[in-house]
Amino acid sequence: DTGVSQDPRHKITKRGQNVTFRCDPISEHNRLYWYRQTLGQGPEFLTYFQNEAQLEKSRLLSDRFSAERPKGSFSTLEIQRTEQGDSAMYLCASSSRSSEISWSADTQYFGPGTRLTVL
Amino acid sequence: AQSVTQLDSQVPVFEEAPVELRCNYSSSVSVYLFWYVQYPNQGLQLLLKYLSGSTLVKGINGFEAEFNKSQTSFHLRKPSVHISDTAEYFCAVRSGGYNKLIFGAGTRLAVHP
């Protein structure tokens, strides 16, 4: 069990450019989540997948953002036409159903994050 | 709607002193509560979680938290802190039937020698 990995760890880009981040969840975890964390704040939910299906999207996820999980394993988050307000840490988490109580009780394991700076 | 309030943005404390990080939540339904720790330039690591049963929950690194339903609180405590506990601590809530974690703004614990 190697944990959740994210690539790249840091990305600096110019306003207007497109960027793509990758997340590799813990193997056999069928749920994958994306969060965004800005300076001095807690993470905010963006979207989540169960296997390859994207089941929920936050209003924070504007039409410039798109996420995929094509084979139910790794996921990508793409931001088109980046803006300075997109500068943040993008966190990925994964989970599997370990509790009979409900899915809401499962533990989400977080990756190290990708720090995006838009100049 | 769910929300989490962490009452202290920063908590300075001397090494080997006890510490309490406060967390209050708002939810109209049953909740699951979590505390995560974030070290500089790293992701979040789960410290402990409350799902049901005993209201006193023990976690890793000597931390514990107490769920108080009447006060809608889930405060984190450690009887004796170490320099290595210096980090950002996040309280999070999740209600039954919902998928996302709702995080507080975080409390920065600074342990001084």
Side-chain angles (χ1 to χ4, degrees):
Chain A
D1 188 346
T2 57
V4 178
S5 61
Q6 293 187 244
D7 184 69
R9 295 290 307 275
H10 303 274
K11 179 70 177 178
I12 300 174
T13 191
K14 293 182 179 179
R15 184 165 52 94
Q17 297 294 305
N18 299 343
V19 294
T20 299
F21 311 140
R22 176 179 170 124
C23 170
D24 287 89
I26 294 171
S27 61
E28 298 181 0
H29 275 194
N30 50 6
R31 284 205 167 187
L32 186 148
Y33 304 79
W34 285 99
Y35 291 82
R36 182 172 69 185
Q37 185 180 19
T38 53
L39 203 61
Q41 298 298 316
E44 295 175 292
F45 171 80
L46 292 178
T47 187
Y48 95 94
F49 294 83
Q50 181 158 317
N51 300 314
E52 65 275 10
Q54 189 174 18
L55 298 184
E56 187 176 349
K57 292 170 61 173
S58 163
R59 286 172 294 177
L60 293 174
L61 216 64
S62 74
D63 55 6
R64 297 185 297 106
F65 288 71
S66 62
E68 293 183 344
R69 195 182 183 199
K71 297 184 179 180
S73 56
F74 73 91
S75 175
T76 58
L77 178 68
E78 181 183 16
I79 308 175
Q80 296 181 326
R81 306 181 304 280
T82 53
E83 302 173 355
Q84 288 185 328
D86 296 331
S87 295
M89 175 80 87
Y90 290 84
L91 295 164
C92 176
S94 70
S95 71
S96 64
R97 185 161 187 173
S98 58
S99 169
E100 293 304 315
I101 299 174
S102 80
W103 265 107
S104 301
D106 64 317
T107 296
Q108 295 182 22
Y109 295 88
F110 283 80
T114 295
R115 183 170 295 283
L116 173 66
T117 302
V118 182
L119 302 176
Chain B
Q2 304 168 72
S3 66
V4 177
T5 302
Q6 292 186 243
L7 297 160
D8 306 294
S9 59
Q10 296 186 58
V11 173
V13 64
F14 287 109
E15 193 173 21
E16 297 184 7
V19 70
E20 178 180 81
L21 306 184
R22 297 179 294 169
C23 172
N24 285 89
Y25 68 91
S26 171
S27 177
S28 59
V29 296
S30 61
V31 296
Y32 306 113
L33 294 154
F34 304 80
W35 274 100
Y36 282 85
V37 61
Q38 186 176 35
Y39 298 101
N41 300 314
Q42 294 186 28
L44 280 73
Q45 179 183 4
L46 181 71
L47 279 176
L48 49 79
K49 63 182 180 182
Y50 171 78
L51 303 181
S52 65
S54 173
T55 57
L56 184 62
V57 181
K58 294 191 182 296
I60 62 171
N61 301 339
F63 284 94
E64 62 181 32
E66 186 158 17
F67 170 61
N68 188 319
K69 187 175 182 179
S70 62
Q71 297 188 4
T72 60
S73 68
F74 191 53
H75 300 332
L76 181 71
R77 302 186 185 102
K78 186 170 183 177
S80 176
V81 295
H82 303 290
I83 296 287
S84 60
D85 292 323
T86 294
E88 190 90 20
Y89 292 79
F90 293 96
C91 181
V93 65
R94 198 175 183 190
S95 294
Y98 288 84
N99 302 293
K100 59 188 176 185
L101 285 167
I102 305 296
F103 286 89
T107 296
R108 178 163 296 279
L109 176 63
V111 182
H112 302 284

